[in-house]
Amino acid sequence: MIKRKIINNIVLVLSTLSALIGLFFLFWILWTLISKGLDAMSMKIFIYDTAPPGREESGLRNAIVGQLILVGVASAIGIPLGILAGTYLSEYGKNSKFANFIRDISDIMMSAPSIVIGAFVYAILVAPVGHFNGWAGAAALAIMMVPIVLRTTDDMLNLVPQQLREAAYALGAPKYKVIIQIVYRGAKVGVITGVLLSIARIAGETAPLLFTSFNNNFFTTNLNEAMPSLTVTMFNFATSPYEDWINLGWAAAFILGVFVLSVNILGRLIIKKRKVK
Amino acid sequence: MQKIVDKSFEYLSKLSALLVLVVLVTIFWVLFEEAKPAIEAFGVEFLTNSKWAPNLEIFGGAPAIFGSVVSTFLAMIIATPIAIGIAIFLTEIAFEKLKTPIGTAIEMLAAIPSIIYGMWGLFYFAPIIRDWFGGNGLGLLTAGIVLSIMILPFMAAITRDSMNTTPDILKESAYALGATKWDVIKDVVIPYAKAGIIGSIILALGRAIGETMAVTFVMGNVHKIPDSIVNAATSIPVTLANEFTEADGDLYYASLFYLALILFVISFVVIATAKFYFLRKIRKER
């Protein structure tokens, strides 16, 4: 009896310790990010482009703009495709074999190594063209985005009560109108949250960009050229031996980290609020 | 007219859904086509040959495969007990009020981009490993630990969810018979959630083996099978990340695609096993 109690207490202590370990690393990483990042932040980062080491006028303007363009184009391709596909699964496919099969496939695609997606896009969009380009980077990100948007759209549309659809049908509305005007409206907040989270997710991706959009030390808005991004710049700068580059790398990490974490927290708050209702 | 719009909307959405499948199949096909010269030149021996000499046009995947397997293995043995511990803490121990904030905080670990883990690992964690265990701080051990921190939140979240599916009545009956908390966890919760726990372990393994940026910073990137886990090594994603843009020869390029194909097949099998075999139940109950 006593032995059981002792073992019980040991396990409870170990479990609590595990949670503390997890929290410890979270706060350690966050603290590193904030202290190193805030030190390195200044207005220069938003005014100047990346420059050779040692240069005073050195910033991240081109990388930030490049990142926005890449993520923007990827979203413009990925979000509508993901929402349409999710709509099919929830409104037409339901629990058919085909719909479940696509659900499984997108679960696999969601966890596929992002570097492999980069290699794939390199083979189809970079090698044939002969040079790195922004379109390839955006395409790689879009491929990662579609399954995420698809799954959340599917889930969110499913939450819309069946009676709403039936009421609209009873008024003689065709199916596409019911979906667009009733179902989408009912699921709007959830779908938007899913979309936000998917944007946060691809914004932090580096591996698929390494050999698709590559990098560029110049300001460009031309998607046919190699395009700088915050993440690839971070990678190049942080692994360099120059202190000012490493500091810029931390500034980039800070900007990225703040963006990704705040979108995640925002998403959680919205979803939680909806559940309470 | 409305009928046409109605039908086209349906087909358009069906086409989008089909696209996911098309992309998956195309990835396999393209990787295979690009890897073909290397597959023809080296065959299956590529998996066991440990010589990687781009200047001699000799390529063997063994060091990269070895590094992937060992770093993933290390990550798994470190992360699994801690993740289960966290899940137990979150389902059985924590006060109701603490469950959500602590759970959310740990899930935040999963949201941090992997490149930030890499930078933190390189500048803050690798020096600690160097001082404690020797070597120069970059190598399999550091990579394994950084990976374990990355996969921890996934495993903990899925394990928690599957533990949460245990019906309260089962737990209450056990308590009524005089069981301690650990008795209930060991004899009721864990057996009930077993499939989900195994699924989460396999899924985390799939993530760890394909993880690139966090590992690229701390692996050291040396194409040799190291004699100690504190020494520099490489892995499949690290090799791809570091060498893809440098590959000049056709065979070099094809060998990298061969590695990419191997990685894709491994992760496909791993993820599919976890999803279809073990995690079915949790998903249905959600």
Side-chain angles (χ1 to χ4, degrees):
Chain A
M1 192 61 204
I2 289 180
K3 198 176 137 209
R4 274 174 60 212
K5 279 216 165 124
I6 294 174
I7 294 178
N8 183 50
N9 288 336
I10 292 175
V11 172
L12 298 189
V13 169
L14 285 179
S15 299
T16 313
L17 214 61
S18 306
L20 289 177
I21 291 174
L23 293 175
F24 168 74
F25 280 108
L26 174 71
F27 286 115
W28 187 7
I29 293 168
L30 283 184
W31 187 79
T32 308
L33 196 61
I34 292 168
S35 65
K36 291 298 279 185
L38 277 181
D39 276 353
M41 288 300 281
S42 72
M43 271 321 282
K44 281 203 298 188
I45 282 166
F46 301 100
I47 300 171
Y48 299 114
D49 292 340
T50 49
R55 192 85 69 77
E56 258 308 293
E57 294 89 30
S58 182
L60 295 166
R61 185 184 67 133
N62 54 338
I64 295 171
V65 172
Q67 181 93 21
L68 290 175
I69 295 173
L70 287 173
V71 172
V73 175
S75 308
I77 305 168
I79 295 172
L81 280 176
I83 290 185
L84 272 174
T87 306
Y88 180 79
L89 298 187
S90 158
E91 301 302 312
Y92 297 99
K94 304 232 165 61
N95 275 320
S96 68
K97 266 207 172 128
F98 174 72
N100 277 327
F101 182 58
I102 295 296
R103 283 187 187 104
D104 290 337
I105 295 288
S106 25
D107 281 351
I108 289 181
M109 285 293 288
M110 230 193 281
S111 308
S114 56
I115 189 127
V116 173
I117 291 172
F120 162 70
V121 173
Y122 176 90
I124 58 164
L125 288 178
V126 177
V129 186
H131 57 87
F132 298 108
N133 60 82
W135 291 112
L141 294 181
I143 290 176
M144 306 195 57
M145 199 171 193
V146 169
I148 311 175
V149 178
L150 178 158
R151 294 291 280 142
T152 44
T153 306
D154 183 19
D155 287 346
M156 292 301 155
L157 298 192
N158 255 322
L159 293 178
V160 177
Q162 196 57 39
Q163 289 93 315
L164 272 182
R165 296 185 181 91
E166 279 158 14
Y169 285 133
L171 294 173
K175 190 155 189 173
Y176 81 97
K177 272 205 171 149
V178 175
I179 293 173
I180 292 173
Q181 295 182 351
I182 310 291
V183 182
Y184 280 172
R185 199 163 290 172
K188 197 169 68 188
V189 181
V191 172
I192 291 175
T193 311
V195 165
L196 273 178
L197 291 176
S198 74
I199 292 176
R201 170 82 190 281
I202 59 160
E205 279 295 340
T206 317
L209 298 180
L210 286 175
F211 26 82
T212 50
S213 55
F214 196 54
N215 202 359
N216 195 336
N217 276 325
F218 302 101
F219 184 88
T220 178
T221 53
N222 182 355
L223 283 155
N224 291 318
E225 296 174 15
M227 185 155 266
S229 60
L230 216 45
T231 49
V232 178
T233 304
M234 254 170 92
F235 177 56
N236 291 340
F237 280 17
T239 50
S240 79
Y242 313 108
E243 195 160 334
D244 52 339
W245 270 17
I246 294 174
N247 279 334
L248 276 177
W250 281 113
F254 179 75
I255 298 171
L256 193 69
V258 167
F259 172 75
V260 170
L261 289 176
S262 32
V263 171
N264 264 284
I265 293 169
L266 187 76
R268 268 160 208 283
L269 289 178
I270 299 174
I271 285 189
K272 206 172 143 199
K273 217 170 145 195
R274 259 179 73 85
K275 271 190 189 148
V276 174
K277 272 182 196 167
Chain B
M1 180 60 205
Q2 284 222 326
K3 255 200 173 143
I4 301 172
V5 181
D6 208 22
K7 272 287 153 204
S8 2
F9 187 76
E10 180 178 350
Y11 286 131
L12 195 64
S13 68
K14 189 169 190 176
L15 215 61
S16 312
L18 201 62
L19 194 71
V20 184
L21 176 65
V22 173
V23 169
L24 182 81
V25 174
T26 319
I27 293 178
F28 265 116
W29 181 68
V30 167
L31 292 181
F32 180 74
E33 282 295 316
E34 298 287 333
K36 231 180 193 169
I39 297 175
E40 279 162 6
F42 306 116
V44 203
E45 264 173 54
F46 183 79
L47 304 177
T48 51
N49 181 8
S50 61
K51 188 161 179 162
W52 184 272
N55 49 339
L56 302 173
E57 297 242 295
I58 297 175
F59 297 97
I65 296 169
F66 176 87
S68 287
V69 171
V70 175
S71 60
T72 305
F73 178 74
L74 284 171
M76 297 315 297
I77 51 175
I78 298 167
T80 306
I82 301 179
I84 295 178
I86 294 176
I88 291 177
F89 178 82
L90 290 175
T91 50
E92 308 294 327
I93 302 175
F95 299 112
E96 216 42 58
K97 280 211 158 143
L98 281 178
K99 276 182 183 168
T100 320
I102 293 181
T104 311
I106 286 172
E107 278 169 34
M108 278 295 127
L109 265 177
I112 298 174
S114 80
I115 186 164
I116 292 177
Y117 279 93
M119 278 181 80
W120 166 83
L122 177 67
F123 291 108
Y124 289 88
F125 197 67
I128 293 177
I129 295 294
R130 182 191 60 209
D131 296 343
W132 287 8
F133 298 97
N136 66 0
L138 302 181
L140 289 172
L141 181 63
T142 316
I145 299 175
V146 173
L147 271 180
S148 72
I149 303 167
M150 282 204 65
I151 56 174
L152 198 58
F154 291 106
M155 283 173 87
I158 304 173
T159 304
R160 177 198 58 194
D161 289 348
S162 53
M163 284 182 170
N164 269 337
T165 59
T166 320
D168 282 336
I169 192 142
L170 282 184
K171 291 196 261 177
E172 280 155 17
S173 346
Y175 282 124
L177 291 171
T180 61
K181 247 190 184 141
W182 169 237
D183 291 332
V184 173
I185 293 165
K186 166 175 65 115
D187 295 328
V188 179
V189 177
I190 290 183
Y192 197 87
K194 200 167 74 188
I197 297 173
I198 298 173
S200 85
I201 293 173
I202 300 176
L203 200 60
L205 194 149
R207 279 195 185 258
I209 211 155
E211 178 47 49
T212 309
M213 298 322 290
V215 186
T216 302
F217 276 92
V218 295
M219 194 63 118
N221 196 33
V222 173
H223 261 290
K224 250 171 48 185
I225 293 182
D227 12 307
S228 149
I229 55 165
V230 294
N231 287 349
T234 190
S235 72
I236 298 178
V238 171
T239 305
L240 292 175
N242 281 318
E243 298 181 32
F244 211 94
T245 49
E246 292 167 9
D248 34 21
D250 284 347
L251 208 52
Y252 194 173
Y253 179 74
S255 300
L256 289 172
F257 269 104
Y258 199 173
L259 283 178
L261 179 66
I262 294 170
L263 178 64
F264 198 48
V265 170
I266 296 176
S267 75
F268 183 89
V269 171
V270 166
I271 298 161
T273 317
K275 290 275 180 194
F276 303 157
Y277 200 73
F278 292 105
L279 291 174
R280 267 268 144 83
K281 211 173 121 203
I282 312 185
R283 200 174 79 193
K284 278 200 183 124
E285 284 178 22
R286 258 184 192 165

